[in-house]
Amino acid sequence: MLMLIKSFFLALSWRSFYMIQIAVGFLEQWKLMEHEVVAVIGPQSSGIAHIISHVANELHVPLLSFGATDPSLSSLQYPYFIRTTHSDYFQMYAVADLVDHYRWREVIAIFVDDDNGRNGISALGDALAKKRGKISYKAALPPGASKSYISDLLNGVNLMESRVYVLHVNPDSGLQIFSIAKKLGMITSGYVWIATDWLPSVLDSMEQVDTGTLNLLQGVVALRHHTPDSDLKNKFFSRLKNLKGMQKSSFNSYALYAYDSVWLAARALDVFTKEGGNISFSFDPKLQDNNGSMLHLSSLRIFEGGPLFFPTILGMNFTGLSGPIQFDGERNLIHPAYDVLNIGEFGSRRIGYWSNYSGLSVIAPEVLYKKPANTSTSNEKLDSVLWPGETIATPKGWVFPNNGKPLRIAVPLRVGYLEIVSKDKNPPGVKGFCIDVFEAAINLLPYPVPRQYILFGNGDRNPSYSDLANQVASNNYDAAVGDITIVPNRTRILDFTQPFMESGLVVVVPVKEVKSSPWSFLKPFTAQMWCVTGAFFLFVGAVVWVLEHRHNPEFRGPPKKQIMTIFWFTFSTMFFSHRENTVSGLGRFVLIIWLFVVLIINSSYTASLTSILTVQQLSSQIEGIDSLISGTQPIGVQDGSFARKYLIDELNIQESRIVSLRDQSAYADALMRGPKGGGVVAIVDELPYIQLFMSNTNCKFRTVGQEFTKSGWGYAFQRDSPLAVDMSTAILQLSENGDLQKIHDKWLLKHDCTAQLDDIDSNKLSLSSFWGLFLICGIACLLTLIAFFVRVFCQYMKFIPEPEVADEEVQSSRSRRFMKIGSASFKDLIDFVDKREKEIKEVLRQKSNKRRRSQSIDGQSSSPA
């Protein structure tokens, strides 16, 4: 136990933690191993831990390290190694979450070139890659680097693009790096410094941090091991202050882990002995001293109980000063967590926490452990940060490299569609729609962008846009500006901005004017529509005649005249010129509905006939991309366009059918000549080109079918370029304030051909467009007819004479009704229907009076004298 306590107090001085050289440290640990030991607490650095772990494996002695944070110290390679602190693996993931939280994509890593530094930065690279970030440059410092070396290194990284620095160094050189960076003006507005746990450990070990040191560190963000506040920790520090001879009262998190390591070994040893564990040692015959060796290998002893004592340590579960002491399946302490600190002129301020359970948060991890895990980036929050330069605005994290080189922008040198982009004699040397949009977006950025436009292509033909994308990806250019379509194979190697022009592949074919024929007036309706319309004219005329025949003298007369009246009345309603007036309520109801139907039919007929007389008709049978796929005729594409590769690879069209066309004149010539004249049957190109082509040719060509791909034009940048994000925001601003549309109208809007009329067949109106109207009209006619005949039937029942029956007692109302119907003939019924309404009402009135007089006489004869 004395040796365990000794190791603990060695950890209380942070400077001794790193100032011990590896050689001296190794010899001290080796001398310790010469004794019969059951556990070793230490070493105090990852470098020594790599060496001592091999010895611990041979001697079966558990090695408890509270300071070796190197992620490469794995349990597979070192089966007797136990890390009693948290690995830098988790710390680097915390740094990656910080970088992602502030939407930075690149960092520069400054680290000490030893095992701990290299392996830690390697873990940082892996963590950033999962967040789509990366380490743009690794600046390695040799241990004990001189001031001039550090100054040269910082001057070099200051010329680079990234302004986010991750400092993963030793305490003995860390503050010196900040001092030199301060002199170089690198701790000012626009810079970001993220320090790993070495910096809070140094500050926490100081009795009082002087103002000069805090001024060096103003705006730095740092990570510190999170140790929860507890009564146990508070009582410990109270007792420690009262100890005699204790000169140091400030301790960092590693001191707490060292203290817990001592208690871990002590508790495990107590459990091991109580469970009957045997503490015995034996010699290893393989360990022999060579001549003159100072290592005393023969004095080393193998701990026989090591294979049983080791799992006892891993099974311990208690709460220490640093928090819960418990190991997971990979021998790591559970609940790795860090405090996120912001250092200012008055000291460090905690702005949040990080844990692998909940990510970044302003709530303490021990509180979040009681809730369901939620690592969504939308829930990650931190308090405000005072960055270098005493600004609260989050730095953008990058600048243009301070090496005198402007942004190299490749511009395709086109031979056609020069309105899109073309060469210009005046500065900046290029012009067109794409250039104006790019310049407008650049002007919206809150910082200047030095740039140089470089034409890409020989000028004889359109350049290959795939080659242009590869040149940018190969770092021959920084960006590409032009009509660059955003397609999947390009997004794999480049970053694109928000599309500034919607695009997609369409099919264009020639059209011709259709001359009017003598029978054009029949073309607005299909044959079925003509038949149904004519039938309804006759049907409605007959219905109106039936409803008006008994009331209206204009609908009476000889049969020939009545038939002529039906035809005249019904067809004259087409022009609303019928001279016969409707008298009955049912007739007027039917006529109102029919006039509404006629109004709709007339309007539709007029519109359709107008379009047919001015329509353009296709000069080919191509109806869309499906017709092209199933055909064998040649297809035109723009030279250099991705459409050629798309048709061959995606739609399996034979390459021999694809014809590359240079410019708009070649388009028009190939379409007019057609396949038989050595031209093409159709052209497949992007919609913006086709709209411009049709506009320049006075709409002699038109698109068929639907747009069969959806994409857009964007500006291409190298992968992870921060300028792509800012330019996307600027393009959205242009779209919202209307400037993007103004630029479009300036260059591309000449004559709108989108309102072209369809061909004749598509203008024909069929029954499917009007069956609802006919259905309503038909139902209305049937309902009125039913109402009419019910009324007539009721009148007829009252009109026919009562039949004479001998036995009056057997009569009933139902039998009398049926006897009336049976005694009347069909001819009588027709004659009754044909009678005028006034005559029927007069007869019924007379019969009613006669019945009342008869009932009055019968009543007088039956009364008593």
Side-chain angles (χ1 to χ4, degrees), residues 389-458:
E390 297 185 352
T391 176
I392 60 173
T394 303
K396 66 177 184 294
W398 66 279
V399 294
F400 286 98
N402 190 19
N403 51 18
K405 295 181 180 180
L407 197 69
R408 300 165 301 167
I409 302 175
V411 179
L413 182 57
R414 298 188 55 85
V415 296
Y417 297 106
L418 301 183
E419 299 91 341
I420 304 294
V421 61
S422 62
K423 183 179 179 181
D424 190 18
K425 296 180 181 179
N426 301 320
V430 287
K431 63 179 181 179
F433 168 70
C434 298
I435 302 300
D436 281 5
V437 174
F438 184 78
E439 288 290 329
I442 284 287
N443 293 332
L444 291 177
L445 299 181
Y447 48 86
V449 181
R451 54 198 178 277
Q452 176 187 6
Y453 294 105
I454 305 172
L455 292 173
F456 180 80
N458 54 20

Side-chain angles (χ1 to χ4, degrees), residues 259-459:
Y259 180 85
D260 289 340
S261 299
V262 174
W263 278 105
L264 173 63
R267 287 170 180 265
L269 187 60
D270 183 58
V271 172
F272 178 73
T273 55
K274 288 181 178 180
E275 292 180 351
N278 183 23
I279 300 178
S280 59
F281 301 88
S282 62
F283 290 96
D284 188 350
K286 295 183 294 183
L287 299 176
Q288 299 293 332
D289 291 320
N290 295 326
N291 293 332
S293 174
M294 299 177 60
L295 297 179
H296 307 290
L297 295 177
S298 59
S299 62
L300 298 178
R301 302 290 186 270
I302 297 176
F303 178 33
E304 296 291 344
L308 296 178
F309 182 46
F310 184 80
T312 302
I313 297 177
L314 293 179
M316 299 305 297
N317 183 3
F318 66 96
T319 300
L321 300 182
S322 61
I325 305 299
Q326 184 181 353
F327 297 93
D328 59 18
E330 297 180 358
R331 303 182 189 175
N332 293 317
L333 281 178
I334 63 171
H335 302 328
Y338 293 86
D339 296 334
V340 183
L341 307 177
N342 181 210
I343 302 175
E345 58 181 346
F346 298 109
S348 60
R349 176 175 61 94
R350 184 165 54 200
I351 59 173
Y353 307 88
W354 180 92
S355 70
N356 68 333
Y357 183 79
S358 57
L360 295 173
S361 175
V362 293
I363 303 175
E366 52 269 21
V367 176
L368 295 176
Y369 292 145
K370 303 174 183 178
K371 301 178 181 180
N374 189 354
T375 57
S376 173
T377 54
S378 61
N379 294 320
E380 292 184 345
K381 296 180 180 179
L382 290 175
D383 291 334
S384 61
V385 177
L386 191 64
W387 301 100
E390 297 185 352
T391 176
I392 60 173
T394 303
K396 66 177 184 294
W398 66 279
V399 294
F400 286 98
N402 190 19
N403 51 18
K405 295 181 180 180
L407 197 69
R408 300 165 301 167
I409 302 175
V411 179
L413 182 57
R414 298 188 55 85
V415 296
Y417 297 106
L418 301 183
E419 299 91 341
I420 304 294
V421 61
S422 62
K423 183 179 179 181
D424 190 18
K425 296 180 181 179
N426 301 320
V430 287
K431 63 179 181 179
F433 168 70
C434 298
I435 302 300
D436 281 5
V437 174
F438 184 78
E439 288 290 329
I442 284 287
N443 293 332
L444 291 177
L445 299 181
Y447 48 86
V449 181
R451 54 198 178 277
Q452 176 187 6
Y453 294 105
I454 305 172
L455 292 173
F456 180 80
N458 54 20

Side-chain angles (χ1 to χ4, degrees), residues 501-647:
M501 169 67 87
E502 297 297 327
S503 179
L505 291 178
V506 294
V507 179
V508 63
V509 296
V511 294
K512 63 181 181 181
E513 294 290 340
V514 178
K515 296 181 179 180
S516 299
S517 68
W519 304 100
S520 295
F521 68 92
L522 294 176
K523 293 179 180 179
F525 289 163
T526 61
Q528 184 187 37
M529 181 65 181
W530 278 118
C531 294
V532 173
T533 303
F536 258 83
F537 268 100
L538 297 177
F539 173 66
V540 172
V543 171
V544 173
W545 177 83
V546 170
L547 299 176
E548 292 291 319
H549 178 69
R550 304 180 69 196
H551 299 272
N552 197 337
E554 296 179 349
F555 287 88
R556 300 186 66 83
K560 183 177 180 180
K561 178 185 177 183
Q562 295 185 50
I563 292 174
M564 291 299 296
T565 299
I566 292 174
F567 277 91
W568 165 255
F569 175 81
T570 185
F571 284 104
S572 62
T573 57
M574 181 185 300
F575 310 103
F576 304 97
S577 61
H578 51 285
R579 55 185 176 85
E580 294 81 6
N581 294 320
T582 53
V583 177
S584 66
L586 294 177
R588 290 176 177 178
F589 174 72
V590 171
L591 184 61
I592 289 174
I593 294 179
W594 175 243
L595 290 178
F596 175 74
V597 174
V598 169
L599 175 65
I600 299 299
I601 293 176
N602 280 346
S603 302
S604 303
Y605 176 87
T606 303
S608 180
L609 181 62
T610 303
S611 64
I612 287 175
L613 294 178
T614 58
V615 79
Q616 289 179 326
Q617 190 177 26
L618 297 179
S619 60
S620 69
Q621 298 301 317
I622 301 300
E623 298 178 353
I625 188 62
D626 294 332
S627 303
L628 290 180
I629 296 174
S630 59
T632 58
Q633 296 171 316
I635 305 169
V637 296
Q638 185 180 173
D639 190 18
S641 171
F642 81 100
R644 179 186 186 91
K645 183 176 178 63
Y646 181 84
L647 294 178

